[in-house]
Each structure stands twice: as C-alpha cells, then as structure tokens.
Amino acid sequence: MIKKKKILIRIGSLRHGGAEKVLINFLKNIPPDKYEIDLLLNLYSGIYIKEVPSWINLYYLIKGEMITTNRPKDIPIKALRVLYEKMFLWFPFLLYRFILKNKKYDVEIAGIHGLYKEILSSPQKNSKKIIWVHNDIFSIRGYTPKIIRKFFRYDRILVISNKIRDGMYDLAQNEDEKTAVIKIFNPIDRNETLRKADVKIHNFPFTESLPTFISIGTIFPQKGYDRLLNVHKRLIDEGLKHQLLIIGDGYDFDTIQDQLNRLGIQETAKMFGFTSNPYPYLKKADFYVLSSRHEGFPTVIAEALIFHKPVSATDVSGIRDLLQDGRLGNITTNSEEGIYEGMKKFLTDKSVAEEYKKRIEQSELPFTLEKSVQHLQEIIDYI
C-alpha cells in the first residue's frame, strides 16, 4: 500500500477570486488515493466552500462573512479578527496543536503570496515548503525586493507568468534559487466552463444589434474600471456605438457606479454585480476587454479564449503568455489611451477581430486542466 503524502494548504478564504478558483480546480482533480490534504482557511467564507471535495479535511480560524467596509460598527470585529490571526502567527505552536491536532506534514503550501509568513513560521522544520504566487508581486505596494527575497526560503516558488518568473530570477542570488522558481499555468476546466455557459439567460441587459464588450472581475482599483468607463464614454461621444457590461462585485462597486452615473452612460454601460456563473454572458458578448493596472495571471482571459472571443488587454503580467505575445489578441499599453486604442480597433475594423478568432480556433491552448494538474502533482511528488 502506497503511503499517502500529507499536505497542508493555507489560504485566506474561498471567496470568488482567481487564486481561490484555481485551488478548487486543483483539489477537485487530484487523486485522493495519493494524498491526505488539510485545507486551512483564515476565514471560513466564500462561494467555493461547497466545492471542496469531501475527502479534504477543512479547518478554519474564524467563521463568518468577509468585512469589506470600514463602518464604525465593523471596526471592533475586524480588529479582533486580525489579533486572533496574528496570535497564531506569533505563536504557531498553538495553531498546530489546537487547530491542526498535532498532525505532521510532508509538504506545506501557501496558496497565495499574502500568507508567506504563515507557512514560514511553521514549527515543522522538516516539511517541504511551497508558495504559489498568483499576483504580480512586483507591482503590489509593500512588496519591496527585500520582502520578496524572503520567498527564497521556500523550497519551491510557483509563479504563473513569465513576467513574475523573470522578476524572481533577477532577485535570485545563485542557480539553486533560480531552480526553485517554477512557472505553472493555472488549471482551467474547459469542459466545465463550456457546460456552464450553455444556460439560457433572460436578463442580458443589452440589445444584440450593437457590439458588446464584457469585462469580469472583482471591483477594486487594480482592475482599472474607472479608466474603462472613461474610454467607453469617449468612444460613444465619437459616434462609435457599442455596449459595455461589467460583471463583478467588490468594495469599489459604488464608486464605479457613481462614476458611470456622472458620465451619463447608463444606457450603454451596465454594472451587473456578482454572479456565480458569468459564462453565459461571456459567451453572448462580442469582445472581452481587460483594463487592469496589474494582474498575476488573469484567468478570465483564458476563459475568453475558450469561447474564441477577441480580446483587447492592457500589458499586465500573464497577458503575453496567454495571448502569445499578441498573436491571439490585442495587447495595449497599460494606460487609458491604450485601452481606448484597443477598443477602437475592434469597433472600426471588423477584420481584426475575425483574424484573432481564426487564430484562436487553430491554436492549442496550454492551460488545460489535465496538463496543469499533472505538473503540480509532479512538483509535490518530487520536491
């Protein structure tokens, strides 16, 4: 009988984020006869909790909904949560004794970069340590080269784009540190994505007679929706008729909705809010537009390619990998002007979009579920 490898994975919550979705895809597709996995959440919250396979042992520090506001009545609760989590960081033996029941692990994984301290503080010094970096940490405030250098204390650093990998290489001080950095594509379940899209929708907010751009993501400043609305207004004023649908929720939702109202574009731009299944809307739209200021690996672009949608995206981490340096989609400068030029190109020259569609249909996309899951298993097995 093969001895199962004991693995601890830590992540903040299982809310509707890219890293969380990637982790769930991985857990749903690895063989339970090979691994014994404990999944530890800081906050027991999020839509993906119900998708955690039954054979995974689920632990948590706090149970409750995520608090995304700074209302006076919420501040004491947020402060208590922070202190409670910090206690386990300062005194990790308490976590491993009372929450994890003194279990010993072969591998410990930080599911996101924000938990790098937590895994490094583990009292189990003989376990192998892996960190999974889903964001462009070189663009995130507070992540100085000195801080990022701490990641090299991990046995393996998983990154999701050439840009992040090259940045880590620049910080590496020897070949062993470079070897620890491994690029891995986020696993995308193509069949499930197509299946979820095959649902009739009765609340599509636009007429089908005009070209429609769609953008999907959490509503916060990183995503650049403020820039996107300005560009949409500018194109409408120039007589280039089109529609814009933004799907997502987040702490910046009201700010972006207020901007939309101030610009007077309520008839042609819609903030749709969060939906657990955005794929029917993605399937129905004509183009995908990414206006982000920075990303790690924008999984939604991979999903847009599955539907053969022409993409116009700002030049952020992961985009050149996904769009094959511009062969499969339009890569623009990371600016409001760049977003404008990219959308205008699709609206003024139909042949551009058709050429992208043709190339996508003829390409073998590298981020298949099977390939990514196999790669991750190999990393865990042979670390």
Side-chain angles (χ1 to χ4, degrees):
M1 182 176 177
I2 299 175
K3 183 184 175 184
K4 292 184 179 181
K5 216 161 199 179
K6 292 181 171 61
I7 301 171
L8 173 67
I9 303 174
R10 295 198 61 176
I11 197 165
S13 70
L14 289 176
R15 65 181 183 86
H16 47 281
E20 293 82 0
K21 184 175 183 179
V22 164
L23 177 59
I24 288 297
N25 276 342
F26 170 62
L27 294 176
K28 287 163 67 174
N29 288 279
I30 61 172
D33 59 328
K34 284 188 66 178
Y35 309 102
E36 181 180 329
I37 296 180
D38 290 353
L39 176 61
L40 174 60
L41 311 178
N42 281 3
L43 180 65
Y44 185 90
S45 175
I47 62 169
Y48 294 123
I49 285 177
K50 63 181 182 293
E51 296 189 40
V52 176
S54 59
W55 63 275
I56 305 287
N57 303 310
L58 188 57
Y59 298 92
Y60 59 88
L61 302 184
I62 300 165
K63 194 167 187 176
E65 291 305 311
M66 187 173 292
I67 301 173
T68 58
T69 66
N70 285 316
R71 294 177 301 185
K73 70 175 185 177
D74 293 330
I75 292 175
I77 301 172
K78 289 178 75 171
L80 283 172
R81 285 182 176 183
V82 170
L83 283 173
Y84 186 69
E85 291 176 14
K86 290 287 187 185
M87 177 184 69
F88 290 119
L89 180 60
W90 295 330
F91 307 104
F93 72 92
L94 295 175
L95 172 68
Y96 284 75
R97 180 180 300 173
F98 295 108
I99 304 291
L100 299 173
K101 312 302 182 186
N102 287 319
K103 190 175 290 187
K104 301 293 183 184
Y105 298 103
D106 300 300
V107 180
E108 297 185 77
I109 301 174
I112 54 173
H113 68 275
L115 291 179
Y116 78 92
K117 292 179 183 177
E118 280 77 356
I119 293 296
L120 290 179
S121 73
S122 168
Q124 299 190 15
K125 303 306 177 186
N126 292 326
S127 68
K128 297 296 184 180
K129 310 289 195 299
I130 297 173
I131 186 167
W132 202 341
V133 182
H134 291 273
N135 288 82
D136 182 4
I137 49 177
F138 300 96
S139 299
I140 300 175
R141 183 183 300 174
Y143 280 83
T144 62
K146 184 178 179 180
I147 294 292
I148 299 171
R149 273 288 311 159
K150 294 179 181 179
F151 288 22
F152 288 103
R153 291 167 59 188
Y154 281 85
D155 297 282
R156 294 290 182 270
I157 305 166
L158 309 187
V159 299
I160 53 178
S161 73
N162 289 335
K163 183 175 184 288
I164 304 172
R165 181 198 61 194
D166 293 344
M168 296 303 297
Y169 280 176
D170 290 341
L171 286 182
Q173 295 179 353
N174 54 56
E175 284 304 313
D176 285 343
E177 289 188 345
K178 282 189 176 182
T179 302
V181 181
I182 300 173
K183 178 188 167 186
I184 180 168
F185 279 107
N186 282 344
I188 310 295
D189 192 333
R190 182 179 184 276
N191 293 333
E192 183 182 25
T193 301
L194 292 172
R195 178 184 61 78
K196 285 184 174 180
D198 198 21
V199 174
K200 285 186 178 180
I201 51 175
H202 305 287
N203 58 345
F204 195 78
F206 291 128
T207 173
E208 295 185 28
S209 61
L210 290 178
T212 301
F213 288 87
I214 190 170
S215 193
I216 303 168
T218 307
I219 312 297
F220 52 75
Q222 168 190 333
K223 298 296 183 180
Y225 290 127
D226 55 325
R227 307 193 294 185
L228 183 56
L229 291 184
N230 288 337
V231 166
H232 171 68
K233 165 72 171 170
R234 180 178 171 187
L235 290 168
I236 291 292
D237 288 348
E238 291 177 4
L240 293 171
K241 295 182 179 180
H242 67 287
Q243 300 159 145
L244 173 64
L245 179 61
I246 297 174
I247 294 181
D249 200 357
Y251 68 78
D252 218 26
F253 186 93
D254 290 342
T255 301
I256 298 300
Q257 182 66 62
D258 288 346
Q259 179 185 352
L260 188 155
N261 294 338
R262 284 198 314 274
L263 292 172
I265 49 177
Q266 295 92 334
E267 295 300 314
T268 55
K270 303 290 184 184
M271 300 281 291
F272 200 75
F274 173 76
T275 174
S276 60
N277 182 15
Y279 303 117
Y281 303 92
L282 176 55
K283 183 179 179 180
K284 202 171 179 66
D286 299 291
F287 315 109
Y288 192 90
V289 57
L290 185 89
S291 55
S292 295
R293 291 179 167 89
H294 61 87
E295 290 278 354
F297 182 91
T299 303
V300 69
I301 297 297
E303 293 165 339
L305 294 177
I306 287 173
F307 292 104
H308 301 159
K309 296 298 174 183
V311 172
S312 183
T314 49
D315 192 1
V316 293
S317 175
I319 283 297
R320 293 194 172 273
D321 310 58
L322 285 162
L323 298 183
Q324 297 180 7
D325 286 322
R327 198 180 76 83
L328 300 184
N330 187 38
I331 302 174
T332 74
T333 58
N334 192 345
S335 65
E336 196 168 297
E337 190 64 26
I339 298 165
Y340 166 79
E341 293 294 342
M343 293 175 69
K344 185 176 181 179
K345 184 181 291 187
F346 284 160
L347 292 172
T348 56
D349 189 347
K350 291 183 178 179
S351 67
V352 174
E354 291 304 316
E355 180 61 27
Y356 283 136
K357 281 185 184 179
K358 180 179 170 184
R359 292 177 188 175
I360 296 166
E361 289 169 3
Q362 295 172 348
S363 297
E364 182 181 354
L365 303 177
F367 40 78
T368 62
L369 180 69
E370 296 77 15
K371 289 179 184 176
S372 296
V373 171
Q374 182 183 355
H375 190 189
L376 191 52
Q377 279 186 241
E378 289 170 354
I379 293 166
I380 291 172
D381 290 345
Y382 301 109
I383 192 172

